[in-house]
Amino acid sequence: MTTIWGIVNVTPDSFSDGGRFLDTARAIEHGMQLRRDGADVLDVGGESTRPGAERVDPSIEQERVLPVIAALAAEGATVSVDTLNASTAVAAVSAGARIVNDVSGGLADERMLSAVAGTDADYALGHWRGPSSDMYANASYRRAAREVAGELRDGVGRAAAAGIAPSRLILDPGIGFAKAGQANWDVLRGLDEITALGHRVLIGTSRKRFLAETLRASEGDDISLERRDLATAVTSALAVRAGAWAVRVHDVVATRDAIAVARAWES
């Protein structure tokens, strides 16, 4: 059974929908619509992690996300908080979040792993090589899937040392984070290197630059969000086929449909 995560960006500057859901009421309604569309988890974030993004003070981040998380959880939704900050993670769990999604894998805030260990939340540990403001500085790989798997293995060790049980871990190879162009495809093609670590695997390709670059290379025009969503649905379905436990997307309906078609093909 595949888990689909719907993205709720409560930010003014996310690369594809920044500002659309900064208003609390609109963010809550968007989350509920994603749930109606078939999202199993609503991933709520108050700080953009797009390339070049600057950090947001945790107090501002919490003002954005906590009311949304509390409202969605009160409606029975399974909520994840997308954050780099330990204080936000703890506050979000108190507000009803059941998963902490940390794209830095505990490297952005040294308190994160111990803070999450003190909660009952699951932890999505992302592959990361530096902040969004300069994420491509270390985007050099020889064998991307193998190197990412090795660095995730190190993250699993850090999490275990902090007291997070293996059963609570979700691994995210960080598509688009400190990875340019071909490296993202190399990680996706080598997804078995990540699944072999024995944890649930989360894949997030949604609307990311490497998809637009691939489409632009074939047609040479600007790539709309609709076309990025189609490419996202295809890569998400392929990721599920390769063993991903969950996919994180903006367009839940297209992704759900693509997965259903792929399953029908194989049945």
Side-chain angles (χ1 to χ4, degrees):
M1 182 65 180
T2 303
T3 301
I4 299 178
W5 291 30
I7 298 169
V8 183
N9 285 324
V10 195
T11 61
D13 58 344
S14 292
F15 75 94
S16 68
D17 59 1
R20 289 186 62 195
F21 308 111
L22 186 58
D23 176 76
T24 298
R26 291 190 67 187
I28 294 167
E29 174 52 32
H30 180 57
M32 294 306 297
Q33 182 61 55
L34 291 174
R35 191 181 184 211
R36 290 190 291 270
D37 288 342
D40 304 290
V41 175
L42 302 177
D43 193 40
V44 180
E47 177 179 354
S48 175
T49 52
R50 64 176 173 77
E54 297 296 331
R55 297 301 310 275
V56 172
D57 188 276
S59 64
I60 296 174
E61 179 189 34
Q62 291 165 36
E63 287 177 7
R64 293 173 177 173
V65 303
L66 295 183
V68 178
I69 290 169
L72 294 174
E75 291 293 329
T78 299
V79 181
S80 166
V81 60
D82 181 1
T83 185
L84 303 172
N85 297 303
S87 60
T88 300
V90 172
V93 173
S94 296
R98 293 165 57 184
I99 304 169
V100 175
N101 179 19
D102 175 10
V103 300
S104 82
L107 297 176
D109 186 338
E110 64 182 9
R111 302 165 299 169
M112 178 66 88
L113 296 177
S114 59
V116 173
T119 73
D120 60 357
D122 284 354
Y123 180 63
L125 185 154
H127 175 263
W128 198 70
R129 285 186 172 181
S132 296
S133 59
D134 195 25
M135 71 164 61
Y136 295 126
N138 297 306
S140 177
Y141 302 86
R142 291 187 177 181
R143 302 186 65 177
R146 180 159 297 181
E147 291 173 56
V148 169
E151 291 169 37
L152 285 172
R153 186 182 297 109
D154 292 341
V156 170
R158 294 193 306 273
I164 301 175
S167 61
R168 295 169 59 191
L169 284 180
I170 302 160
L171 301 185
D172 179 354
I175 300 300
F177 290 95
K179 299 168 192 71
Q182 189 60 43
N184 294 293
W185 292 114
D186 290 344
V187 172
L188 291 170
R189 291 192 195 98
L191 199 57
D192 59 326
E193 300 265 10
I194 314 298
T195 59
L197 297 175
H199 298 275
R200 293 169 290 173
V201 174
L202 169 67
I203 296 295
T205 63
S206 195
R207 299 179 177 174
K208 291 193 173 175
R209 178 181 296 177
F210 82 106
L211 295 178
E213 290 172 347
T214 298
L215 299 176
R216 191 175 296 116
S218 67
E219 296 191 19
D221 59 2
D222 291 335
I223 306 303
S224 66
L225 292 184
E226 290 77 13
R227 293 184 64 199
R228 290 193 190 208
D229 283 336
L230 177 58
T232 298
V234 173
T235 52
S236 295
L238 291 171
V240 169
R241 185 177 183 183
W245 165 75
V247 290
R248 179 181 181 275
V249 300
H250 294 84
D251 188 334
V252 170
V253 173
T255 297
R256 185 191 63 196
D257 289 350
I259 292 170
V261 169
R263 284 181 176 150
W265 183 291
E266 296 173 344
S267 64

